[in-house]
Amino acid sequence: MTFTRMFVRLGACLHRLPKRNAQPPALWPPGITRDPCAASRTQHTASHSKSCLWQLREDYFELSVSGLLMRFDYVWLRDHCRSASCYNMKTNQRNLDTATVELGIRPSNIRVDEETLFLTWPDGHVTRFNLAWLVQNSYEGQKQRAVQPRILWNSEIYNKAKVPTISCGGFMTSDEELKKFLKTFLLYGIAFVEDVPPTLEATETVAQRVSLIRETMYGRVWNFTSDFSRGDTAYTKLALDRHTDTSYFQEPCGIQVFHCLRHEGTGGRTLLVDGFHGADKVLKEAPGNFELLSRVPIKHEYIENVGAHHNHMIGVGPVLNVYPWNNELYMIRYNNYDRAVINTVPHDTVQRWYVAHRALTTELRKPENELWVKLKPGKVLFIDNWRVLHGRKSFTGLRQLCGCYLTRDDVLNTARSLGLQA
Ligand SMILES: C[N+](C)(C)CCCC[C@H](N)C(=O)O
Ligand SMILES: O=C(O)CCC(=O)C(=O)O
Ligand SMILES: [Fe+2]
């Protein structure tokens, strides 16, 4: 819908504004919609059309566009001015020094036409806001927006989903194929690329099509086997229960890439579990448990002294990481092997935390939530390490797994540049 159509009834009238201490009228008095001109005639503080109303309040500016009521702080309005002197449209960076804005600032004049809000500030500077931009960028508008589209899955949902197969050739050469791959990855938190040559170099090339490789103390692109060359159970033949990796980093690695180059033996199947699906079940069944897991900070730790490798990593944060403004889950940090001593909360909280952690673990361990796959040479698996847990069955024989971690920002960057919501 265009704003031109929505604002045809709005007059471009200039209002003289009352003094700062003047009592503002009650919010949208009942008569205001029946007599479109009354408020502006009597108060000189408000204007409106069928779909747009505004009021200059004592402490904030109130704007309603197509039924969405928004409230803007005056300093915010000055701070977000997109005029050439305040904002560099070429670099998309703020020029205005926010510290020079008087904290009690209020506009001296306000005018709204079909699609623009004009604010004149006491020093004469004029700020123009496109109304659609305000809707998109206001707190209230953001809250209305859908969270990141995801399909939470158990094995049945995933297997029935008919996830598209992505082949290496198309993936490397066609942006459409890359987009298809990333769309799948964003929806499910896992995605495969098939027909990749079973080499470390080819795996690296495929990984770099999506993002930047995140080098860690394990190296850039690793190729590991059960030789205990490093001080971690991953470098053995033992089974590994579901977990996320690098929980001991302040920012755990965003994506994990696995490519099994060789396995002459039995076992070693890979387990995948959608952590967000499990967390969602906890939220629905016992919101108090979800809240505890999202509020209580705990530590994860990696201590290694093997050969020349000396590492001590510590990451602090809750198991469930949610955006504070809308409670949307964005990262799960779940690794019972690497979880460190709990010393960040008192005993009564510890007790409730164990109950909540058990509820999540019970959910994550339900057989119907387990997706088992056998990694084979040629099939590269990308795992969203902020969402999907992985594990493996114990195995026999020579098994060689190569892969790398990717930076999450750059995966999302690639996705956005292809027009995906990320
Ligand atoms: C993937 N690679 C074999 C290089 C490292 C494995 C790291 C294992 C560690 N316990 C963690 O969960 O982070
Ligand atoms: O060996 C595997 O399949 C995975 C081991 C693991 O969890 C890891 O390397 O992060
Ligand atoms: Fe792992």
Side-chain angles (χ1 to χ4, degrees):
M1 188 178 345
T2 67
F3 277 92
T4 325
R5 196 143 45 81
M6 287 160 49
F7 286 91
V8 283
R9 299 195 36 162
L10 194 69
C13 45
L14 202 69
H15 299 273
R16 289 181 60 237
L17 305 174
K19 285 196 205 81
R20 179 142 199 164
N21 292 336
Q23 263 313 84
L27 177 61
W28 321 131
I32 202 162
T33 45
R34 271 179 255 124
D35 178 1
C37 300
S40 46
R41 272 204 309 267
T42 55
Q43 308 286 350
H44 296 276
T45 61
S47 181
H48 48 273
S49 74
K50 257 201 162 140
S51 49
C52 170
L53 299 140
W54 61 262
Q55 295 249 11
L56 196 73
R57 299 302 207 153
E58 175 72 7
D59 289 328
Y60 56 90
F61 178 68
E62 204 160 67
L63 179 70
S64 171
V65 176
S66 303
L68 175 68
L69 176 64
M70 298 169 282
R71 293 181 172 135
F72 298 99
D73 172 60
Y74 292 120
V75 177
W76 187 98
L77 288 168
R78 182 67 192 85
D79 184 41
H80 291 79
C81 180
R82 260 47 183 161
S83 69
S85 61
C86 294
Y87 195 78
N88 186 334
M89 283 292 179
K90 282 209 183 84
T91 64
N92 296 302
Q93 286 178 298
R94 180 180 286 102
N95 274 342
L96 174 73
D97 177 5
T98 306
T100 62
V101 177
E102 199 229 305
L103 292 175
I105 196 168
R106 272 171 64 113
S108 44
N109 269 308
I110 291 195
R111 178 166 75 86
V112 182
D113 72 10
E114 276 89 61
E115 35 187 70
T116 313
L117 165 69
F118 301 82
L119 303 163
T120 306
W121 301 102
D123 64 357
H125 186 79
V126 177
T127 294
R128 291 174 182 78
F129 283 117
N130 179 279
L131 294 174
W133 186 93
L134 284 175
V135 167
Q136 232 180 35
N137 290 281
S138 65
Y139 169 72
E140 292 83 358
Q142 279 289 320
K143 264 198 125 165
Q144 274 201 341
R145 273 169 70 156
V147 294
Q148 178 62 35
R150 293 189 184 103
I151 296 173
L152 304 184
W153 51 268
N154 55 25
S155 62
E156 193 191 349
I157 295 171
Y158 184 83
N159 285 324
K160 281 195 178 153
K162 303 239 161 41
V163 175
T165 312
I166 307 290
S167 191
C168 185
F171 172 84
M172 287 308 298
T173 51
S174 149
D175 279 357
E176 269 318 301
E177 283 297 295
L178 178 61
K179 185 172 176 178
K180 202 159 54 159
F181 168 87
L182 283 167
K183 195 171 171 197
T184 301
F185 181 78
L186 292 171
L187 281 179
Y188 298 98
I190 49 171
F192 296 91
V193 181
E194 321 250 0
D195 311 316
V196 180
T199 64
L200 190 117
E201 293 70 31
T203 311
E204 178 175 2
T205 308
V206 163
Q208 283 178 322
R209 173 89 170 121
V210 177
S211 178
L212 301 176
I213 290 172
R214 174 156 175 198
E215 187 165 354
T216 63
M217 70 278 193
Y218 301 112
R220 213 177 97 78
V221 182
W222 20 262
N223 188 2
F224 70 101
T225 186
S226 50
D227 58 4
F228 205 69
S229 58
R230 304 296 301 264
D232 193 278
T233 323
Y235 297 77
T236 68
K237 287 182 163 64
L238 298 174
L240 286 171
D241 190 32
R242 64 224 69 197
H243 64 275
T244 60
D245 266 28
T246 62
S247 50
Y248 39 78
F249 286 177
Q250 270 309 112
E251 190 196 294
C253 292
I255 283 87
Q256 165 130 261
V257 180
F258 278 138
H259 189 184
C260 184
L261 300 181
R262 211 170 149 189
H263 187 196
E264 290 139 20
T266 59
R269 278 196 306 158
T270 295
L271 167 63
L272 298 164
V273 178
D274 184 357
F276 283 13
H277 180 264
D280 190 56
K281 282 275 152 74
V282 172
L283 175 66
K284 291 193 172 125
E285 278 157 28
N289 283 340
F290 183 97
E291 166 139 3
L292 261 165
L293 292 171
S294 67
R295 292 265 170 91
V296 175
I298 53 161
K299 289 181 189 164
H300 287 79
E301 197 167 24
Y302 181 81
I303 306 172
E304 179 184 32
N305 286 297
V306 170
H309 301 291
H310 301 285
N311 292 297
H312 191 173
M313 298 285 180
I314 299 176
V316 191
V319 171
L320 303 177
N321 293 259
V322 299
Y323 295 127
W325 61 87
N326 66 358
N327 240 22
E328 180 188 355
L329 178 62
Y330 69 87
M331 177 173 80
I332 178 166
R333 190 195 285 260
Y334 184 97
N335 192 319
N336 206 50
Y337 302 107
D338 295 332
R339 191 160 48 71
V341 171
I342 301 179
N343 54 14
T344 40
V345 278
H347 70 95
D348 50 335
T349 310
V350 170
Q351 193 174 64
R352 290 187 293 131
W353 185 87
Y354 275 118
V355 171
H357 187 258
R358 184 66 53 87
L360 177 62
T361 299
T362 303
E363 198 52 53
L364 295 171
R365 288 193 181 168
K366 285 187 178 160
E368 66 259 34
N369 292 333
E370 298 182 338
L371 181 69
W372 287 95
V373 292
K374 177 70 185 155
L375 297 182
K376 297 219 164 74
K379 190 169 170 148
V380 176
L381 166 62
F382 288 71
I383 307 170
D384 182 345
N385 189 51
W386 282 20
R387 167 177 170 185
V388 174
L389 287 62
H390 63 279
R392 74 163 180 228
K393 278 254 160 61
S394 63
F395 61 90
T396 65
L398 175 67
R399 181 173 178 269
Q400 228 178 46
L401 211 61
C402 88
C404 57
Y405 296 113
L406 303 177
T407 61
R408 191 184 176 79
D409 284 334
D410 296 281
V411 175
L412 303 183
N413 182 30
T414 307
R416 288 184 199 114
S417 74
L418 293 168
L420 293 168
Q421 182 185 328

